[in-house]
Amino acid sequence: MSGPAIPMPRLTGWPQDAPAPGRHLLLLPDGVVAEEVEVLAISRFSAARWDRPPRVPMSRRDSAAQPTPGVLRLGRLSTVTGPFGVEPAVAARLGVPGDIVSAWPVDVPRERHAALAIGGDRDGLRRAFGAQQPVREEGRVLRWLIDVARRLGGAVRTDTGAVLVPEMDAALDLTVVSDRWVEPEVVLTAARRVAPQARIDAPVSSGDRLASVAHTGRALVQRPDAGIGVADADERQRLHAEADAFDAWMVAHPPAAEGFGVLIDLGADGAVSVRAETEGELPLVLHGLDWTQGEVVAYRVTWEPPELEELEAEKPSLAHRVARGRAAQVVRSIAREVQLDVGGEVADMAGFLVDPAEL
């Protein structure tokens, strides 16, 4: 029989009959430990570290000892402190989901700027802040809070009193990051282990673009009346000869594809694509590893819904959520199979790593 739960400290400074004063709050459900929040901070902020680690009783027999919250630094001016216990009555007054048991208050400079309302409002930021949106450090920290809440099944209460509950299923796209470049048939085979209808999309090569440039150049030199045309006939002939020689060399020495795609048609549920391309920006947690010092390839597994605008809706339609649920298993399974063949790591849309064994 298990002993009593280890207590968390109350949120100091909270009147028991009032919501928290104007600070952003990261709100998390039962089962989330401080180390998980730390890992997700390190995944996004290069300066992340404990200013003061949380102190918890070493055993249930030591549960009478008062735990103290930790202070986790995100940036030069930003910290998140916790965990603090949230009782059901307090959660109700805050207007947050009933499964919330801990809170992490955030200290961050208040930086707002007018922003144009473009596209949807998937995370509810326009609902929370109106025209004056968080920017710079506050914007980065707030987006991290939302991504953490989505990853861990929690919520964010903003300093305006708005409660943001990002859907865990809304960020289903995954990326396999590897130092191995494989032929399209390898990724196609991996995808077909999940979806036999998978097929290759046309590859994109540097040669296609260079040939297009050469074609454009030939068209231009044939227009002596154009401002950038070449009036001298001998010079035009020389340029033609160079362009023809370039085309002949490209045909004889085609460059390797710089990217390729695999497409899986899901019918009424949209489609899933796998796009392979060299990666220019790695998740922060992968920086400095030996295998990421050379060329790194990203295999992006992405869901394309029937109605694209639904992707940016804070509360998408039931039809979208049903299709998303069915597509999510395809995305996860294909990412797992690709990683099995190419190695490397799997990252979610927020740049947080995902254990392939959990896909």
Side-chain angles (χ1 to χ4, degrees):
M1 183 174 180
S2 62
I6 297 175
M8 284 185 287
R10 292 182 183 274
L11 188 56
T12 56
W14 263 15
Q16 288 302 297
D17 59 350
R23 300 163 82 184
H24 304 310
L25 294 175
L26 174 62
L27 301 152
L28 297 173
D30 193 17
V32 177
V33 297
E35 288 76 11
E36 291 179 87
V37 178
E38 177 191 13
V39 167
L40 297 180
I42 293 171
S43 298
R44 184 69 61 83
F45 300 103
S46 59
R49 67 181 188 279
W50 288 110
D51 282 355
R52 183 186 71 220
R55 178 185 175 276
V56 298
M58 297 302 295
S59 69
R60 293 188 183 279
R61 287 178 297 180
D62 191 30
S63 60
Q66 178 64 28
T68 57
V71 178
L72 180 59
R73 181 161 299 281
L74 304 177
R76 188 171 63 89
L77 302 174
S78 303
T79 59
V80 57
T81 304
F84 292 94
V86 176
E87 297 178 357
V90 176
R93 284 193 290 273
L94 290 172
V96 303
D99 61 346
I100 294 299
V101 300
S102 68
W104 295 71
V106 181
D107 290 291
V108 61
R110 189 178 186 275
E111 299 179 276
R112 309 284 165 85
H113 192 273
L116 294 176
I118 300 175
D121 189 27
R122 184 180 70 171
D123 295 328
L125 292 175
R126 287 207 295 270
R127 174 171 61 82
F129 299 100
Q132 294 292 318
Q133 291 287 303
V135 295
R136 292 183 285 275
E137 186 159 355
E138 185 185 24
R140 291 189 293 271
V141 168
L142 188 62
R143 281 163 178 78
W144 175 77
L145 294 173
I146 292 170
D147 288 338
V148 171
R150 178 177 286 114
R151 174 67 176 259
L152 300 178
V156 175
R157 189 179 191 275
T158 70
D159 63 357
T160 65
V163 176
L164 312 177
V165 188
E167 293 184 290
M168 295 183 73
D169 294 337
L172 74 162
D173 296 349
L174 296 168
T175 299
V176 180
V177 183
S178 171
D179 60 350
R180 289 185 57 201
W181 178 269
V182 299
E183 294 299 319
E185 289 73 18
V186 175
V187 175
L188 178 64
T189 299
R192 281 182 171 169
R193 293 199 292 264
V194 177
Q197 73 272 30
R199 62 178 176 82
I200 291 286
D201 261 3
V204 177
S205 73
S206 59
D208 294 334
R209 289 193 292 271
L210 290 172
S212 176
V213 170
H215 175 79
T216 303
R218 287 195 303 273
L220 288 173
V221 298
Q222 291 182 48
R223 294 176 53 196
D225 57 324
I228 59 172
V230 179
D232 184 84
D234 292 338
E235 179 65 8
R236 286 204 308 276
Q237 185 175 1
R238 185 186 68 79
L239 291 174
H240 279 301
E242 286 188 359
D244 291 340
F246 174 80
D247 286 348
W249 190 92
M250 290 297 296
V251 170
H253 305 85
E258 290 187 341
F260 62 84
V262 170
L263 187 66
I264 302 95
D265 188 350
L266 299 181
D269 293 337
V272 170
S273 65
V274 187
R275 300 289 173 188
E277 58 191 11
T278 54
E279 178 61 288
E281 185 174 348
L282 290 173
L284 182 62
V285 72
L286 297 181
H287 289 191
L289 299 181
D290 289 343
W291 67 270
T292 65
Q293 300 311 297
E295 182 177 77
V296 177
V297 182
Y299 300 88
R300 305 186 191 280
V301 189
T302 305
W303 178 49
E304 301 168 3
E307 303 293 338
L308 286 174
E309 63 273 12
E310 292 265 26
L311 281 176
E312 295 302 318
E314 186 179 9
K315 295 182 178 180
S317 67
L318 175 61
H320 177 87
R321 298 197 305 273
V322 170
R324 184 180 66 194
R326 289 192 288 249
Q329 186 55 54
V330 177
V331 169
R332 289 192 293 265
S333 298
I334 289 178
R336 182 191 64 235
E337 294 300 317
V338 171
Q339 193 274 338
L340 185 66
D341 288 350
V342 305
E345 298 283 355
V346 181
D348 65 14
M349 293 177 68
F352 302 148
L353 296 189
V354 178
D355 185 348
E358 298 179 358
L359 296 174

